[in-house]
């Protein structure tokens, strides 16, 4: 199955129509930061619904082209998109801007005022840089062309009639357009054309011109700021990495294998932990991307997969993300993934081990808690004196992840934080629902397709399609979807073979993700030889390194997997004697699933912390959680309605 075509975010609010468990509900109330009340549109029954598992229903979707993969935009196209964003940034900061201000900006930029309004509409609709990239020439799907006279009438009715505080309905607008067309002796446009044109009016313009300026300001004012001025949830997120003060054991023999690394993201406004990633591999751009994806996605099913009770109602699109400045943390996938979703990725200054006290204090708090677990190394040798950390170690990496998440969700988030005077969870809720002094931000937008969101941050390459499939690091992948692209030529040159985008998850390279330019979606490609075992990128690189040391230059697939098998046999013999061997085993995919591609469902809420589930074990945590989804008491809002 293919991933969905557009990694968009959507907001749930009273009046929205959403689907859950195959049924449609009209959302009536928002009763907590992660729960809504909805009326079944068939039976009228009112149920409590988990916001993280809802899917927004659009009965009249706009006919738009699905987005291309981020890597397919040329440097010139991407630069144009960024320049357009720069041109409208000042206007985005002013939700109550006047037409005169827009005209002045248009004159300064050197474009017509209508063009600038179109850029504003494109960005407010998509929230991404790619939404500002110039469209390719040619008739677009769903495009409609009216005469100059009809366009003039339609624009006049929208400007003079629709955008008024009386708030006429679309039916009223259609009637007004038809009346003017009769007077002008013109055939009126189809009612659907009028409705679609109304949808193109930027939401912020509708709210402002139709008497809802405060809501426009609260919903569309960009959340920007420095570390010192984080005024809303997700306005600023900080990320850092640290080796944990604990030694973990392997899954098989439960022998010590060393200290894991923790990558963590924290919301500066509330001090809520936004996301994390725990690994035995040193931090790199991949761990940054996986941690960021975890921060942006709902975590209900992630908690269920770990068996951790409680609520972690943090998801959405951060405004600013501060990350480590080291070279190994930079990548094109990370840069463009952040830019695509409107994230201002800022690198900390060089030679600053800790660039902010907020995350430094959290890491310190977490490490002090870690000192209570078996196998702790404490903070220094003096504290560790008389304690054998390796002999006392007892937790596997997975078990440690459970303990860390449980500590974050049920202890750190719940207790009063001295820096803000309340618990992080209470501060987060206040930022969402508001107080008497300041309106809240409203519920954070939910990612429509977490799988595609994660793919946006995966490492990528370009490859030609051969008769045997696609090769990456001497491993061949194939799926029938490739047949139509075999040996196709580059449309620009007409001579060289066309290259296609492929991406992979470093934790499991048993499948890669092929970007289908016709469908504008991703398809997982399994090994061509499905008899090969699933392996990690670490094992693949180690096998290629050893083959190179042995002087073998013509490396092929059989040699690689033969080397992997020998590595695993050596590790299996050495695990009881060698800590490094046990660590290598833990970093491998020896106990992973069969080498079958993951099932990607349109509305699967994927766990970004772990590889996607295989076909042989379909992902069904949503069904498992559903029966007891409200076992934990709901934290009610101080006010029923979300303050906009």
């Amino acid at each position: 199955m293919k991933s969905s075509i557009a990694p968009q975010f959507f907001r749930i609010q009273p009046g929205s129509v959403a689907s859950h468990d195959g049924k449609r509900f009209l959302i009536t109330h928002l009763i907590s930061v992660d729960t809504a009340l909805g009326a079944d549109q068939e039976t009228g029954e009112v149920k409590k619904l988990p916001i993280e598992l809802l899917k927004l229903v659009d009965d009249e979707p706009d006919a738009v082209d699905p987005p291309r993969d981020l890597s397919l935009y040329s440097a010139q196209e991407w630069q144009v998109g960024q320049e357009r964003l720069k041109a409208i940034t000042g206007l985005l900061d002013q939700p109550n801007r006047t037409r005169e201000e827009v005209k002045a900006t248009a004159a300064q930029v050197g474009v017509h005022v209508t063009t600038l309004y179109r850029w504003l509409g494109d960005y407010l609709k998509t929230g991404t840089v790619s939404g500002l990239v110039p469209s390719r020439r040619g008739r677009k799907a769903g495009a409609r062309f009216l005469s100059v006279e009809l366009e003039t009438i339609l624009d006049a009715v929208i400007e003079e009639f629709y955008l008024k505080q009386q708030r006429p309905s679309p039916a009223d607008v259609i009637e007004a357009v038809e009346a003017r067309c009769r007077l002008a002796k013109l055939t009126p446009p189809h009612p659907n054309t009028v409705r679609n044109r109304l949808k193109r009016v930027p939401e912020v313009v509708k709210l402002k011109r139709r008497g809802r300026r405060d809501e426009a300001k609260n919903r569309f004012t960009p959340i920007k700021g420095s570390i010192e001025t984080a005024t809303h949830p997700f306005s600023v997120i900080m990320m850092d990495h640290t080796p944990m003060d604990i030694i973990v054991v392997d899954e098989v023999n439960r022998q010590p294998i060393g200290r894991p690394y923790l990558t963590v993201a924290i919301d500066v406004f509330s001090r809520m932990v936004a996301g994390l990633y725990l690994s035995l591999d040193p931090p790199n751009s991949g761990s940054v991307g996986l941690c960021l994806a975890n921060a942006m996605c709902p975590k209900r099913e992630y908690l269920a997969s770990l068996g951790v009770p409680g609520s972690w109602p943090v998801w959405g699109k951060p405004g600013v993300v501060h990350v480590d400045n080291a070279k190994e943390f930079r990548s094109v996938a990370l840069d463009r993934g952040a830019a695509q979703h409107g994230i201002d990725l800022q690198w900390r200054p060089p030679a600053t081990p800790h660039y902010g006290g907020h995350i430094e204090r959290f890491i310190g708090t977490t490490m002090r808690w870690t000192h209570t677990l078996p196998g702790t190394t404490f903070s220094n040798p003096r504290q560790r004196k008389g304690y054998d950390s390796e002999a006392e170690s007892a937790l596997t990496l997975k078990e440690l992840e459970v303990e860390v998440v449980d500590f974050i969700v049920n202890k750190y988030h719940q207790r009063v934080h001295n820096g803000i005077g309340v618990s992080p969870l209470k501060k987060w809720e206040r930022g969402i629902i508001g107080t008497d002094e300041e309106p809240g931000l409203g519920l954070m937008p939910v990612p429509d397709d977490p799988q595609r969101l994660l793919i946006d941050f995966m490492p990528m390459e370009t490859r030609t399609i051969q008769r045997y499939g696609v090769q990456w690091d001497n491993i061949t992948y194939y799926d029938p979807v490739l047949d139509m692209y075999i040996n196709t030529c580059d449309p620009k040159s007409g001579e060289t073979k066309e290259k296609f985008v492929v991406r992979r998850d470093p934790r499991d390279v048993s499948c890669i993700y092929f970007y289908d330019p016709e469908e504008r979606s991703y398809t997982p490609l399994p090994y061509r030889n499905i008899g090969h075992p699933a392996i990690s990128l670490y094992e693949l690189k180690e096998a290629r390194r050893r083959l190179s040391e042995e002087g073998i230059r013509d490396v092929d697939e059989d040699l690689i997997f033969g080397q992997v098998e020998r590595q695993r046999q050596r590790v299996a013999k050495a695990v009881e004697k060698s800590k490094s061997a046990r660590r290598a085993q833990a970093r491998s995919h020896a106990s992973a699933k069969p080498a079958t591609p993951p099932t990607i469902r349109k509305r699967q809420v994927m766990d970004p912390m772990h590889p996607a589930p295989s076909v042989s074990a379909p992902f069904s945590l949503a069904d498992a959680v559903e029966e007891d989804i409200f076992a934990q008491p709901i934290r009610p809002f101080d006010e029923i309605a979300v303050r906009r």
Side-chain angles (χ1 to χ4, degrees):
M1 297 178 66
K2 298 178 181 180
S3 70
S4 65
I5 58 178
Q8 302 296 330
F9 287 71
F10 61 88
R11 288 184 183 273
I12 294 295
Q13 54 191 349
S16 300
V17 177
S19 62
H20 176 61
D21 197 23
K23 299 180 180 179
R24 292 162 57 108
F25 293 87
L26 175 65
I27 304 303
T28 59
H29 297 85
L30 304 172
I31 59 176
S32 77
V33 293
D34 58 358
T35 310
L37 287 180
D40 190 316
Q41 290 197 314
E42 291 186 1
T43 66
E45 180 185 4
V46 177
K47 293 183 63 177
K48 289 184 288 187
L49 304 170
I51 291 173
E52 298 158 272
L53 301 182
L54 295 180
K55 168 68 177 174
L56 200 63
V57 174
D58 185 3
D59 290 327
E60 298 183 44
D62 292 334
V64 296
D65 286 340
R68 287 179 276 164
D69 180 86
L70 301 183
S71 62
L72 294 180
Y73 293 102
S74 68
Q76 293 78 10
E77 288 178 316
W78 197 254
Q79 183 178 357
V80 170
Q82 291 179 315
E83 288 175 350
R84 291 181 176 182
L85 178 59
K86 183 179 179 180
I88 64 175
T89 296
L91 297 174
L92 292 172
D93 291 336
Q94 305 175 49
N96 296 324
R97 56 186 170 268
T98 63
R99 185 174 181 83
E100 287 68 26
E101 291 172 332
V102 178
K103 285 183 178 179
T105 303
Q108 183 179 359
V109 177
V111 298
H112 192 275
V113 64
T114 304
T115 300
L116 206 62
Y117 270 121
R118 176 165 51 82
W119 293 354
L120 285 167
D122 290 342
Y123 186 77
L124 291 172
K125 184 175 181 180
T126 65
T128 62
V129 173
S130 62
L132 294 171
V133 172
S135 301
R136 293 185 173 180
R137 295 186 177 183
R139 186 183 178 98
K140 305 297 188 297
R144 298 292 184 268
F145 299 92
L146 301 178
S147 66
V148 175
E149 294 80 4
L150 288 179
E151 289 283 3
T152 302
I153 290 175
L154 192 51
D155 288 344
V157 171
I158 292 174
E159 177 71 23
E160 301 167 8
F161 180 70
Y162 178 69
L163 296 176
K164 296 295 180 182
Q165 294 190 12
Q166 288 75 19
R167 304 174 192 172
S169 68
D172 296 329
V173 177
I174 293 170
E175 185 177 348
V177 170
E178 291 175 345
R180 295 199 184 190
C181 287
R182 283 195 300 270
L183 186 62
K185 294 182 172 51
L186 295 172
T187 302
H190 192 278
N192 285 345
T193 300
V194 180
R195 293 189 186 96
N196 289 334
R197 192 61 59 87
L198 294 179
K199 290 180 181 179
R200 297 180 190 176
V201 180
E203 188 69 11
V204 64
V205 174
K206 292 181 186 178
L207 294 173
K208 176 186 173 184
R209 299 282 298 278
R210 287 161 66 91
R212 298 161 68 181
R213 287 177 175 269
D214 289 341
E215 184 175 347
K217 181 178 180 180
N218 292 336
R219 287 180 57 187
F220 293 98
T221 300
I223 302 171
K224 300 179 180 180
S226 64
I227 291 177
E228 294 77 16
T229 58
T231 57
H232 292 84
F234 264 30
S235 55
V236 181
I237 282 189
M238 299 175 61
M239 297 182 67
D240 207 351
H241 329 267
T242 184
M244 296 196 70
D245 293 344
I246 189 172
I247 291 176
V248 294
V249 300
D250 70 286
E251 296 275 357
V252 179
N253 300 286
R254 304 195 75 86
Q255 294 293 313
I257 55 177
R259 299 168 63 183
Y261 294 91
L262 175 67
T263 301
V264 65
I266 189 169
D267 173 51
V268 175
F269 170 79
S270 65
R271 311 301 199 271
M272 286 281 280
V273 176
L276 60 82
Y277 178 64
L278 195 62
S279 172
L280 289 169
D281 294 316
N284 51 53
S285 61
S287 58
V288 172
L290 293 170
C291 181
L292 188 54
N294 180 244
M296 297 171 70
C297 291
K299 301 169 183 64
R300 181 181 295 268
E301 299 200 12
Y302 174 49
L303 294 179
S305 70
L306 297 177
V308 175
S311 175
W312 193 352
V314 179
W315 62 80
K317 293 169 63 172
V320 176
V321 176
H322 289 261
V323 294
D324 197 294
N325 191 52
K327 182 179 179 181
E328 59 267 25
F329 300 139
R330 294 177 178 268
S331 69
V332 173
L334 184 60
D335 286 341
R336 287 209 171 177
Q340 165 70 356
H341 297 287
I343 299 171
D344 183 5
L345 201 62
Q346 297 184 3
W347 307 95
R348 82 183 194 193
T352 53
H354 292 289
Y355 54 98
H358 306 307
I359 197 164
E360 180 180 358
R361 282 193 290 273
F362 169 76
I363 289 177
T365 298
T366 305
M367 292 308 105
R368 284 191 295 273
W369 163 79
T370 304
H371 299 166
T372 65
L373 300 177
T376 178
T377 61
F378 296 98
S379 298
N380 54 63
R382 181 175 56 82
Q383 290 179 308
R384 192 167 58 248
K385 187 176 181 180
Y387 183 86
D388 190 338
S389 300
E390 291 196 357
E392 297 294 332
S393 58
L395 298 174
T396 65
L397 185 67
K398 185 71 173 181
E399 291 166 346
L400 177 61
E401 185 176 6
V402 171
E403 295 297 326
V404 170
V405 172
D406 186 58
F407 166 75
I408 290 172
V409 171
N410 296 307
K411 293 184 179 178
Y412 173 76
H413 285 171
Q414 306 289 340
R415 65 193 185 196
V416 175
H417 190 290
N418 292 334
I420 55 179
V422 295
S423 69
L425 183 58
K426 175 60 70 174
K427 183 72 171 178
W428 176 267
E429 291 176 344
R430 288 180 180 178
I432 297 295
I433 66 176
T435 65
D436 292 336
E437 293 75 27
E438 186 175 350
L441 185 65
L443 292 179
M444 301 297 287
V446 183
D448 180 63
D449 187 355
Q451 172 73 0
R452 176 64 187 267
L453 178 66
L454 178 61
I455 290 175
D456 276 346
F457 291 97
M458 284 185 184
M460 57 79 62
E461 293 283 351
T462 56
R463 291 289 186 273
T464 58
I465 310 300
Q466 306 296 330
R467 294 175 62 187
Y468 50 77
V470 173
Q471 267 200 353
W472 193 347
D473 282 341
N474 301 108
I475 297 179
T476 304
Y477 301 86
Y478 175 75
D479 184 271
V481 73
L482 300 177
D483 291 350
M484 64 181 293
Y485 298 111
I486 293 175
N487 290 322
T488 55
C489 293
D490 190 323
K492 294 182 179 179
S493 67
E495 298 178 357
T496 60
K497 291 184 178 180
E498 184 175 4
K499 291 188 175 182
F500 298 84
V501 173
V502 288
R503 295 178 183 262
R504 67 183 175 190
D505 188 328
R507 299 164 295 182
D508 179 8
V509 299
S510 62
C511 85
I512 60 176
Y513 298 91
F514 165 73
Y515 180 74
D516 188 331
E518 293 294 327
E519 298 291 334
R520 294 197 176 184
S521 61
Y522 279 94
T523 299
L525 306 180
Y527 294 144
R528 184 176 183 89
N529 182 348
I530 60 174
H532 290 320
I535 63 175
S536 67
L537 183 59
Y538 163 78
E539 288 182 287
L540 174 58
K541 289 183 176 180
E542 184 67 12
R544 288 167 58 89
R545 184 186 67 81
R546 286 182 174 271
L547 290 172
S548 177
E549 289 178 350
E550 294 172 7
I552 301 176
R553 296 185 178 276
D554 296 327
V555 176
D556 60 24
E557 192 169 300
D558 291 334
L559 286 173
I560 289 175
F561 283 99
Q563 180 64 38
V564 169
E565 181 60 29
R566 291 192 295 274
Q567 286 175 194
R568 290 183 173 180
Q569 291 175 357
R570 286 193 296 267
V571 167
K573 293 179 180 178
V575 288
E576 295 186 5
K577 300 178 181 179
S578 169
K579 182 170 66 176
S580 61
R582 293 191 295 271
R583 189 177 182 88
Q585 185 183 61
R587 295 169 69 183
S588 75
H589 218 290
S591 59
K593 63 195 180 202
T596 51
T599 298
I600 305 175
R601 300 207 303 254
K602 167 61 182 172
R603 188 51 188 148
Q604 171 176 304
V605 182
M606 200 197 78
D607 170 11
M609 300 294 290
H610 303 293
S614 67
V615 171
S616 60
F619 195 74
S620 58
L621 279 173
D623 302 329
V625 174
E626 179 63 23
E627 296 181 2
D628 195 36
I629 204 159
F630 298 105
Q632 298 298 319
I634 296 174
R635 300 181 186 84
F637 278 169
D638 295 331
E639 301 172 9
I640 292 296
V642 174
R643 298 188 54 166
R644 294 294 181 186

